């Protein structure tokens, strides 16, 4: 039985697509057959982050409309085994995704895959609602910043009332908090909400903390999920996140300012 | 800023301000989320009626619907009148 995980946030620009790419890649690296589905119809970007933008032939909406089958449409990742991408359509038709259509495609994917990662668009319009509707678990991507936290809380409300699980009276969606763009220096100076602050306000279980990192922009510049940059802080933080998602207990890293030693302070590094 | 100010500075840091503001607005929005859809409109209508008689700012009125047991819902209306308008 495939597990459907939605990566969502409400607010835009907090790192949903970066996180979807990292989580999908991480699960595939761990040996699980995974597909990442881009739900951002009209503003396709997962393909760029995954570095497969020139290999898109058909898209999600083509599959829904029966213009192409999944086999023709899914893009197999070249770097990571077990990993596939289902690109969004660039159509301007907002209603291109129907609930029946999405359900049909997800059911078909579920036969073949262990994990289906739904990369949600920002906002609370139909695309975002469609991305979360069928989810079993949700990764709520949040920045330590007032508007992002408030929007995340809004999305948590949607997860518990507007999902299939809620409507059918099933067990609720399992919600995870993924805090991104975390800057321990600013937290220590009292300029940024801390992990504890955000946890206290949103009151959901913490799955990962990704530090603000140069590596993220480098990764998106080159179309490589940041989790493949294993030497980087962000890459390692995503690897830890995957382990937690798979049920392992892993201590949190990168939460405090790294104290530079005497030698390092003089010679840099 | 003089050196003395630096040591005397008791300015609250912005992160704790952010936290307090968030706690209030999130609690407010959660309450509303669980209520019926007509509650915001009801609140606006009641505010309009009261404003015919007393000039009060919009944030001085709170309407909430509370479920007490299976049978009873209580509609609570809280209006704070400004001191000089009583």
């Amino acid at each position: 039985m495939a597990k459907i995980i939605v990566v969502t946030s409400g607010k835009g620009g907090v790192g949903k697509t970066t996180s979807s790419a990292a989580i999908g890649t991480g699960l595939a690296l761990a040996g699980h057959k995974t597909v990442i589905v881009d739900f951002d119809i009209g503003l396709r970007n997962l393909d760029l982050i995954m570095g497969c933008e020139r290999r898109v032939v058909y898209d999600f909406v083509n599959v829904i409309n029966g213009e192409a089958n999944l086999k023709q449409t899914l893009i197999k990742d070249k770097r990571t085994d077990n990993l596939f991408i289902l690109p969004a359509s660039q159509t301007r038709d907002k209603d291109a995704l129907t609930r029946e259509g999405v359900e049909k495609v997800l059911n078909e994917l579920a036969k073949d895959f262990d994990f289906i990662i739904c990369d949600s668009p920002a906002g609370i319009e139909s695309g975002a609602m469609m991305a979360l509707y069928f989810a079993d678990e949700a990764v709520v991507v949040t920045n330590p910043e007032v508007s992002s936290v408030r929007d995340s809380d809004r999305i948590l409300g949607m997860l518990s009332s507007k999902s299939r699980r809620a409507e059918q009276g099933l067990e609720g969606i399992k919600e995870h908090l993924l805090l991104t763009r975390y800057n321990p220096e600013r937290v220590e100076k009292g300029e940024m909400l801390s992990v504890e602050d955000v946890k206290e306000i949103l009151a959901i279980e913490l799955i990962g903390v990704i530090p603000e990192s140069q590596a993220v922009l480098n990764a998106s510049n080159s179309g490589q999920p940041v989790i493949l940059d294993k030497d980087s802080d962000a890459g390692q933080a995503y690897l830890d996140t995957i382990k937690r998602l798979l049920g392992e207990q892993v201590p949190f890293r990168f939460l405090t300012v790294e104290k530079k030693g005497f030698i390092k302070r003089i010679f840099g590094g | 800023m003089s050196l003395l100010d630096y040591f005397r500075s008791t300015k609250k840091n912005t992160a704790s301000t952010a936290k307090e503001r968030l706690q209030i607005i999130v609690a407010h929005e959660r309450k509303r989320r669980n209520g019926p859809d007509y509650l915001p409109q009801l609140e606006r209508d009641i505010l309009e009626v009261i404003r015919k008689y007393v000039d009060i700012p919009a944030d001085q009125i709170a309407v909430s619907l509370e479920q007490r047991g299976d049978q009873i819902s209580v509609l609570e209306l809280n209006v704070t009148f400004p001191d000089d308008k009583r």
Side-chain angles (χ1 to χ4, degrees):
Chain A
M1 212 10 216
K3 201 174 260 182
I4 303 178
I5 303 177
V6 61
V7 178
T8 184
S9 71
K11 190 174 182 298
V14 296
K16 280 183 298 296
T17 301
T18 298
S19 297
S20 298
I23 290 169
T25 305
L27 289 169
L29 284 174
H32 303 282
K33 198 171 176 195
T34 303
V35 57
I36 316 174
V37 184
D38 191 349
F39 274 78
D40 204 346
I41 305 301
L43 292 168
R44 166 164 85 208
N45 272 320
L46 179 70
D47 55 340
L48 265 184
I49 300 299
M50 293 297 297
C52 63
E53 68 276 11
R54 299 187 54 182
R55 296 167 61 208
V56 177
V57 183
Y58 295 110
D59 59 55
F60 197 177
V61 172
N62 290 140
V63 181
I64 287 178
N65 294 342
E67 293 148 7
N69 62 36
L70 268 178
K71 210 178 160 198
Q72 295 169 296
T73 310
L74 286 175
I75 303 174
K76 189 181 185 317
D77 191 85
K78 283 194 169 158
R79 293 164 299 242
T80 314
D81 283 341
N82 304 317
L83 182 60
F84 291 80
I85 290 103
L86 180 57
S89 160
Q90 285 290 46
T91 175
R92 281 196 280 170
D93 176 12
K94 272 188 168 178
D95 305 316
L97 293 185
T98 58
R99 188 172 283 175
E100 295 71 32
V102 172
E103 182 170 27
K104 193 186 75 184
V105 173
L106 291 181
N107 280 342
E108 213 176 321
L109 288 171
K111 288 182 207 153
D112 243 3
F113 287 91
D114 304 323
F115 285 98
I116 302 171
I117 309 298
C118 302
D119 182 17
S120 171
I124 50 172
E125 307 262 320
S126 79
M129 291 298 126
M130 217 62 91
L132 68 79
Y133 186 76
F134 296 98
D136 301 306
E137 296 190 23
V139 173
V140 180
V141 184
T142 308
N143 290 168
E145 178 270 327
V146 284
S147 48
S148 175
V149 175
R150 180 200 209 171
D151 290 359
S152 290
D153 190 68
R154 194 87 206 281
I155 281 293
L156 287 171
M158 306 279 177
L159 287 168
S160 59
S161 64
K162 302 270 190 271
S163 65
R164 182 184 63 96
R165 284 175 170 272
E167 282 180 6
Q168 298 183 356
L170 304 167
E171 194 188 333
I173 294 177
K174 203 167 160 193
E175 301 154 340
H176 309 280
L177 170 64
L178 180 63
L179 203 56
T180 57
R181 310 197 69 165
Y182 195 67
N183 187 331
E185 274 123 47
R186 302 202 72 182
V187 172
E188 270 183 26
K189 283 190 208 150
E191 296 172 351
M192 185 182 262
L193 292 164
S194 70
V195 179
E196 296 308 319
D197 293 340
V198 181
K199 260 171 69 180
E200 192 184 324
I201 294 162
L202 294 179
I204 56 172
E205 169 250 355
L206 184 70
I207 192 90
V209 180
I210 314 299
E212 173 119 272
S213 167
Q214 302 279 335
V216 174
L217 185 57
N218 282 336
S220 74
N221 283 343
S222 48
Q224 287 229 26
V226 68
I227 198 168
L228 294 177
D229 186 355
K230 287 178 181 138
D231 297 327
S232 70
D233 47 0
Q236 291 174 19
Y238 273 118
L239 284 168
D240 289 355
T241 303
I242 297 302
K243 288 184 188 161
R244 292 187 202 105
L245 207 51
L246 293 170
E248 238 181 276
Q249 294 268 1
V250 188
F252 287 91
R253 295 190 278 173
F254 316 109
L255 300 189
T256 48
V257 181
E258 208 184 309
K259 299 275 187 304
K260 283 194 174 174
F262 178 68
I263 307 279
K264 261 194 176 172
R265 247 186 297 172
I266 292 177
F267 297 105
Chain B
M1 190 162 93
S2 75
L3 195 64
L4 200 64
D5 281 344
Y6 180 79
F7 287 113
R8 239 186 347 213
S9 166
T10 51
K11 206 173 78 182
K12 209 158 71 174
N13 66 47
T14 56
S16 53
T17 312
K19 186 181 178 185
E20 280 166 28
R21 291 174 59 216
L22 272 170
Q23 279 172 324
I24 293 166
I25 191 68
V26 163
H28 179 76
E29 286 176 346
R30 276 183 197 160
K31 221 185 230 175
R32 174 155 297 180
R33 191 188 296 158
N34 300 326
D37 293 339
Y38 61 75
L39 211 57
Q41 187 56 48
L42 178 68
E43 191 174 317
R44 276 192 292 271
D45 287 352
I46 292 174
L47 182 70
E48 280 316 304
V49 172
I50 294 175
R51 270 191 175 160
K52 274 191 200 168
Y53 305 93
V54 191
D55 184 28
I56 54 165
D59 59 351
Q60 292 306 307
I61 178 166
V63 178
S64 71
L65 195 64
E66 219 177 294
Q67 193 79 29
R68 290 199 188 145
D70 287 343
Q71 301 292 316
I72 312 168
S73 300
V74 177
L75 182 73
E76 198 179 277
L77 176 64
N78 229 315
V79 188
T80 313
F81 274 35
D83 279 341
D84 52 328
K85 299 270 163 51
R86 254 182 300 207

